[in-house]
């Protein structure tokens, strides 16, 4: 009798456990925690920001110090980096910089990365609500997992750049726009304006939103007045930022960039024969779009997207039409970037929330065949996590190698203010903060950056040195991966054949294999016979 009561109690406890575990809030919390853990595992805590992320960092630092938008001053060359149009992200980051008292530039760069990661994780909430407009709670939880555990989304969130905030705002915009409440739709146009501030390409979302709104509410009263109000709100929010950008960088950074891109594409295509020239923008756009779409579909979307798109198109309703129309429109932005042969996957990442929703049609089909919902959900998440981790491991950045490259940049900076272009020279840009007496400080007050000389169109090291001797060139860097430049690779492999190059550093014990040579101009004649 006692045993039966005990067994009954255990069954109740087990039932309560599964009831709790099946609640969306529990699943979403677990997804959030797993997503954070994975990102922190791959977090590059000792590596400085580079490329676009570094430019955003300098902008955020200047804004947090002065409280004014950085200006492009022709008399101060270092301010030219502020000429980019997408300042919504660094403005957002500057708020957090102004709230911290850290004087360590690596810590501040890591803060920028953490803000980026946080934006990516927060996207879980609006994405779940977006999925709920199409599917059940259980399926919606899976949709969140498809997005937040995707390896390319994870990798991008670690870079400290615009996409995580851009994707977050884009998801919120679509979520609110699908509402039937006019007041909430108004908010969606407000968010669309903020979306455009983060990346000017976001302006294009105004087109499908306008068309869909008019189509959806064409039979309601005062549709024209309602739309004009939405359009006015969108424009009025963007106007102050457009004015500030015009005052600080010389153009509005929104419409000017969109029109500039359009003019470039039209001029480039009309100057070439599209039917025969494989270098035409359209041909490049198609090839690159297919290539990066294939990359985005790995490791698991490739199995979910085809049937999902078929069902989404087949199931005709305004919500599905909205997803398809917006995804096509935003794909045009990626196509334009790829037509210019820009080799970056991030232009397609804005589609990930929509693709996550569409993928659920395939998962829904699986639920119909197999009735064990919790088991299916558990297995799906195991597959998502394992496939994502395998992908991340195969494509991860070697942080030891990157750190070695960064440490080497310090050696170069201490030796000279001018150097040849080499594989990992991107670290010569952030290293100036390392040599500043104090930090943070405005970009113009930091030590001057090293001048990096292009090695393109040179046939020999002798020719390169003679051209730049009057510029004060004293050192040459060659590394193991200089294979694209034959004469640099030859120096690395056969340094004794160059008596005018005296090796002063060799990173033979580091992962980044690089050598630094001092140019002995008095012996340069001895090397001419061999090189010529």
């Amino acid at each position: 009798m006692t045993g039966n009561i005990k067994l009954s109690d255990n069954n109740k406890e087990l039932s309560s456990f599964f009831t709790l575990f099946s609640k969306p809030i529990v699943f979403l919390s677990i997804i959030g925690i797993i997503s954070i853990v994975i990102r922190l595992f791959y977090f590059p805590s000792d590596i400085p920001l580079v490329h676009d992320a570094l430019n955003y960092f300098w902008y955020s630092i200047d804004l947090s110090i002065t409280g004014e938008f950085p200006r492009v001053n022709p008399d101060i060359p270092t301010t030219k980096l502020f000429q980019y149009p997408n300042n919504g992200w660094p403005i957002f980051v500057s708020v957090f910089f102004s709230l911290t008292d850290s004087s360590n530039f690596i810590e501040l760069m890591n803060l920028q990365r953490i803000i980026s990661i946080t934006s990516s994780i927060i996207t879980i909430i609006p994405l779940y609500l977006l999925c709920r407009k199409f599917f059940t709670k259980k399926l919606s939880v899976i949709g969140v997992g498809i997005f937040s555990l995707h390896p390319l989304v994870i990798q991008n969130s670690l870079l400290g750049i615009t996409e995580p905030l851009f994707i977050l705002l884009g998801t919120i915009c679509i979520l609110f726009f699908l509402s039937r409440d006019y007041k909430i739709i108004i908010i969606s146009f407000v968010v669309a304006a903020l979306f455009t501030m983060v990346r000017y390409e976001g302006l294009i979302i105004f087109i499908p939103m306008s068309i869909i709104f008019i189509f959806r509410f064409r039979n309601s009263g005062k549709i024209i007045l309602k739309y004009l109000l939405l359009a006015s709100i969108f424009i009025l929010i963007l106007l102050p930022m457009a004015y500030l950008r015009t005052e600080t960088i010389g153009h509005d950074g929104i419409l000017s960039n969109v029109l500039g891109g359009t003019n470039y594409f039209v001029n480039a295509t009309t100057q070439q024969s599209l039917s025969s020239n494989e270098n035409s923008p359209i041909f490049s756009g198609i090839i690159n779009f297919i290539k990066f779409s294939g990359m985005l579909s790995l490791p698991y979307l490739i199995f979910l997207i085809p049937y999902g798109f078929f069902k989404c198109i087949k199931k005709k309703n305004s919500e599905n039409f909205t997803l398809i129309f917006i995804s096509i429109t935003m794909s045009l932005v990626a196509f334009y970037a790829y037509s210019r042969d820009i080799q970056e996957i991030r232009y397609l990442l804005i589609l990930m929330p929509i693709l996550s929703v569409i993928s659920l049609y395939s998962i829904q089909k699986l639920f119909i065949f197999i009735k064990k919902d919790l088991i299916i959900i558990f297995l799906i998440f195991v597959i998502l996590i394992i496939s994502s981790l395998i992908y991340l491991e195969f494509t991860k950045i070697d942080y030891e190698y990157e750190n070695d490259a960064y440490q080497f940049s310090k050696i170069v900076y201490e030796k000279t203010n001018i150097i040849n272009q080499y594989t990992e020279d991107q670290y010569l840009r952030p290293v100036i903060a390392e040599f500043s007496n104090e930090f943070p400080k405005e970009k113009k007050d930091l030590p001057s950056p090293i001048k990096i000389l292009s090695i393109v169109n040179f046939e020999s090291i002798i020719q390169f040195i003679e051209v730049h001797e009057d510029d004060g060139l004293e050192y040459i860097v060659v590394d193991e991966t200089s294979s694209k430049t034959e004469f640099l690779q030859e120096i690395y492999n056969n340094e004794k054949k160059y008596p005018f190059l005296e090796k002063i550093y060799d990173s033979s014990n580091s992962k980044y294999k690089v050598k630094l040579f001092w140019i002995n101009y008095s012996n340069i004649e001895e090397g001419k016979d061999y090189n010529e």
Side-chain angles (χ1 to χ4, degrees):
M1 186 73 173
T2 305
N4 290 336
I5 294 175
K6 187 175 183 179
L7 181 61
S8 179
D9 290 341
N10 286 339
N11 287 338
K12 288 181 180 179
E13 291 177 4
L14 191 61
S15 177
S16 298
F17 170 77
F18 278 112
T19 301
L20 174 66
F21 194 71
S22 64
K23 290 183 177 180
I25 186 65
V26 176
F27 266 118
L28 292 176
S29 300
I30 292 172
I31 294 170
I33 292 170
I34 293 173
S35 300
I36 292 171
V37 169
I38 293 175
R39 284 163 171 79
L40 292 180
F41 180 79
Y42 290 99
F43 193 87
S45 58
D46 298 323
I47 311 298
L49 298 171
V50 293
H51 305 310
D52 287 351
L54 180 62
N55 290 340
Y56 297 137
F57 177 77
W58 296 137
Y59 191 106
S60 299
I61 289 293
D62 275 25
L63 180 56
S64 66
I65 293 173
T66 66
E68 299 179 355
F69 291 95
R71 290 179 173 270
V72 175
N73 188 336
D75 299 326
I76 306 177
T78 56
T79 64
K80 289 183 179 179
L81 61 89
F82 297 140
Q83 203 151 5
Y84 57 84
N86 300 321
N87 64 345
W89 166 244
I91 290 172
F92 182 66
V93 173
S94 71
V95 175
F96 295 89
F97 281 178
S98 63
L99 297 176
T100 182
D101 57 357
S102 176
S103 59
N104 185 303
F105 79 99
I106 290 291
E107 288 181 359
L108 289 168
M109 288 182 173
N110 285 337
L111 175 58
Q112 181 170 322
R113 288 192 178 101
I114 290 171
I115 298 168
S116 178
I117 289 172
T118 304
S119 299
S120 182
I121 298 297
I122 291 176
T123 306
I124 286 175
I125 299 171
L127 180 57
Y128 171 77
L129 297 175
L130 179 61
C131 292
R132 282 290 291 122
K133 288 187 172 292
F134 299 84
F135 300 98
T136 64
K137 293 179 181 179
K138 293 176 183 178
L139 283 168
S140 298
V141 166
I142 296 174
V144 169
I146 290 172
F147 169 81
S148 63
L149 297 174
H150 194 283
L152 293 177
V153 173
I154 293 172
Q155 289 175 336
N156 181 267
S157 69
L158 299 173
L159 299 178
I161 52 180
T162 58
E163 276 68 36
L165 182 61
F166 190 57
I167 294 170
L168 172 61
L169 291 173
T171 306
I172 296 172
C173 178
I174 297 171
L175 171 64
F176 288 166
F177 183 68
L178 288 176
S179 173
R180 298 189 179 278
D181 187 332
Y182 181 69
K183 294 179 181 178
I184 296 178
I185 293 176
I186 290 177
I187 298 175
S188 74
F189 276 80
V190 172
V191 177
L194 300 177
F195 178 68
T196 305
M197 289 182 191
V198 175
R199 292 195 65 85
Y200 71 85
E201 303 97 312
L203 180 65
I204 200 171
I205 202 173
F206 180 74
I207 297 174
M209 288 176 68
S210 298
I211 295 172
I212 294 168
F213 175 81
I214 294 173
F215 179 79
R216 281 174 62 191
F217 299 97
R218 61 189 181 279
N219 295 324
S220 63
K222 301 180 179 179
I223 180 63
I224 300 299
L225 289 177
K226 288 181 178 179
Y227 171 71
L228 289 177
L229 175 61
L230 295 174
S232 299
I233 290 172
F234 179 81
I235 294 170
L236 288 173
I237 292 174
L238 288 179
L239 277 179
M241 180 58 71
Y243 172 78
L244 286 169
R245 287 177 179 174
T246 303
E247 287 291 303
T248 56
I249 66 176
H251 56 90
D252 62 76
I254 302 173
L255 190 61
S256 60
N257 281 67
V258 172
L259 294 177
T262 303
N263 290 336
Y264 163 82
F265 190 81
V266 171
N267 293 334
T269 52
T270 54
Q271 291 172 6
Q272 301 180 49
S273 174
L274 302 183
S275 60
S276 60
N277 193 338
E278 293 187 354
N279 294 320
S280 71
I282 289 182
F283 182 82
S284 297
I286 293 172
I287 296 300
N288 287 324
F289 189 88
I290 293 172
K291 179 177 74 173
F292 286 107
S293 295
M295 291 175 59
L296 187 68
S297 68
L298 298 175
Y300 46 75
L301 286 178
I302 190 171
F303 304 106
L304 304 174
I305 291 299
Y307 179 78
F309 263 116
F310 170 75
K311 286 293 292 184
C312 191
I313 294 172
K314 186 178 180 181
K315 192 175 182 180
K316 299 175 182 179
N317 55 50
S318 61
E319 289 81 6
N320 284 9
F321 177 75
T322 299
L323 291 185
I324 295 296
F325 195 4
I326 290 178
S327 63
I328 291 173
T329 305
M330 297 310 297
S331 293
L332 294 177
V333 174
F335 180 82
Y336 166 72
Y338 297 143
S339 71
R340 302 189 67 170
D341 207 29
I342 300 176
Q343 301 289 309
E344 294 190 48
I345 188 69
R346 59 181 178 147
Y347 292 98
L348 285 173
L349 290 181
I350 187 59
L351 300 178
M352 273 303 300
I354 295 176
L355 294 179
S356 298
V357 176
I358 292 174
S359 296
L360 293 181
Y361 281 107
S362 298
I363 304 295
Q364 187 182 50
K365 191 72 172 179
L366 185 63
F367 271 65
I368 293 173
F369 283 109
I370 304 174
K371 305 299 182 181
K372 310 270 186 187
D373 290 1
L374 282 177
I375 294 176
I376 294 176
I377 293 174
F378 176 77
L379 289 176
I380 288 174
F381 274 101
V382 169
I383 292 171
L384 292 179
I385 294 170
I386 291 176
S387 62
S388 182
L389 289 175
I390 291 173
Y391 188 99
L392 288 169
E393 280 299 305
F394 273 101
T395 60
K396 70 178 180 180
I397 295 173
D398 187 337
Y399 291 129
E400 184 178 348
Y401 170 91
E402 298 296 329
N403 189 54
D404 288 343
Y406 173 57
Q407 297 305 320
F408 175 71
S409 71
K410 298 179 186 179
I411 296 172
V412 176
Y413 193 85
E414 287 179 324
K415 295 288 185 182
T416 184
N417 61 0
I418 183 171
I419 199 68
N420 62 288
Q421 181 182 10
Y422 63 95
T423 308
E424 304 298 341
D425 60 21
Q426 70 269 18
Y427 290 113
L428 292 173
R429 297 307 185 195
V431 77
I432 61 175
E434 185 81 36
F435 292 88
S436 177
N437 294 329
E438 60 182 77
F439 199 85
K441 63 168 62 173
E442 290 183 67
K443 180 67 170 62
K444 64 182 179 62
D445 296 327
L446 288 168
S448 299
I450 288 181
K451 183 179 181 181
I452 302 175
L453 303 173
S454 173
I455 55 175
V456 178
N457 298 325
F458 286 95
E459 297 180 356
S460 70
I461 189 61
I462 296 289
Q463 181 189 22
F464 179 79
I465 290 174
E466 288 182 337
V467 168
H468 293 293
E469 180 179 1
D470 292 339
D471 295 325
L473 180 66
E474 294 183 278
Y475 296 89
I476 293 292
V477 172
V478 293
D479 56 37
E480 192 176 32
T481 55
S482 298
S483 56
K484 291 183 179 179
T485 308
E486 291 184 9
F487 65 84
L488 289 183
Q489 189 66 40
E490 179 66 19
I491 294 172
Y492 185 88
N493 294 326
N494 302 287
E495 60 187 76
K496 291 183 179 180
K497 294 181 180 180
Y498 300 84
F500 56 91
L501 296 179
E502 298 181 10
K503 185 169 64 177
I504 61 173
Y505 179 80
D506 188 341
S507 65
S508 57
N509 296 324
S510 302
K511 274 206 167 185
Y512 177 50
K513 308 300 181 183
V514 63
K515 299 176 182 179
L516 179 64
F517 295 91
W518 176 68
I519 305 170
N520 188 339
Y521 282 95
S522 61
N523 292 340
I524 201 166
E525 293 296 326
E526 297 180 27
K528 282 190 174 181
D529 293 336
Y530 172 77
N531 283 274
E532 295 177 356

